[in-house]
Amino acid sequence: MKKIFSELKGFVIYSPELLTQYLQEHNLPGNNILKYFVENEHGDEITKSGIAIPIIGVEEDYYSFRISTKGESILNDNEVAAQSEGWIFQSANHEMKIVGIGYLKDISSINEENSITLPLENGWFSFKIRAGNKDGEKLFELNAEKQETKPDFSGDLTTTYYFT
């Protein structure tokens, strides 16, 4: 299973098409989009709109990501070290992309080597993020529940995922 590094101690899960569309609609130019996440309200808006989910406070290391669905678990309860609920995500191109958050300093540097692309049907999802060790591997389980309409956002932006 492919692993990626937690650049700047975090990751971002995002929909490339919707993020590009948001940046164009709000006239946010350039390749350094990390500044829009940390310097003004655009980061909160992008997150609350289901375009991107930040995963911060992650020990610097390599991690795997897997999607699970309602009623299915990859991590057993005793393997879960950190968990956060209330996230929303909108898939637009039958996929979601995950990259170390540091790559948002220059989005032109994102490629297949330093990112993970996971298949996800189009539409709205509510997400529960579970982090832990599975068979000696550091893993983020993204529990996705399909929704008919845009779900309410209640994710905790201050959740950290430090675990060993």
Side-chain angles (χ1 to χ4, degrees), residues 33-141:
I33 62 171
L34 183 60
K35 66 182 180 183
Y36 300 131
F37 279 85
V38 296
E39 293 177 2
N40 53 45
E41 74 286 348
H42 288 292
D44 285 349
E45 184 59 33
I46 288 168
T47 300
K48 291 175 181 173
S49 298
I51 297 170
I53 300 172
I55 298 178
I56 58 171
V58 179
E59 187 176 295
E60 291 181 330
D61 205 345
Y62 286 88
Y63 295 81
S64 299
F65 287 80
R66 293 192 38 205
I67 295 175
S68 63
T69 55
K70 185 176 177 158
E72 169 184 271
S73 289
I74 296 165
L75 291 166
N76 298 324
D77 288 343
N78 64 339
E79 295 171 323
V80 175
Q83 179 171 299
S84 184
E85 300 182 39
W87 300 97
I88 65 172
F89 187 78
Q90 184 180 15
S91 176
N93 197 23
H94 297 286
E95 68 180 24
M96 62 186 204
K97 194 172 265 309
I98 305 159
V99 68
I101 210 162
Y103 285 105
L104 297 185
K105 283 183 174 181
D106 181 5
I107 57 172
S108 68
S109 68
I110 297 172
N111 59 47
E112 289 306 310
E113 295 296 313
N114 60 26
S115 66
I116 293 175
T117 303
L118 296 175
L120 187 67
E121 67 179 293
N122 286 350
W124 283 105
F125 292 85
S126 57
F127 265 76
K128 176 168 49 174
I129 301 168
R130 295 164 35 110
N133 281 297
K134 180 80 172 177
D135 303 323
E137 172 180 42
K138 290 184 176 184
L139 173 73
F140 280 95
E141 176 184 343

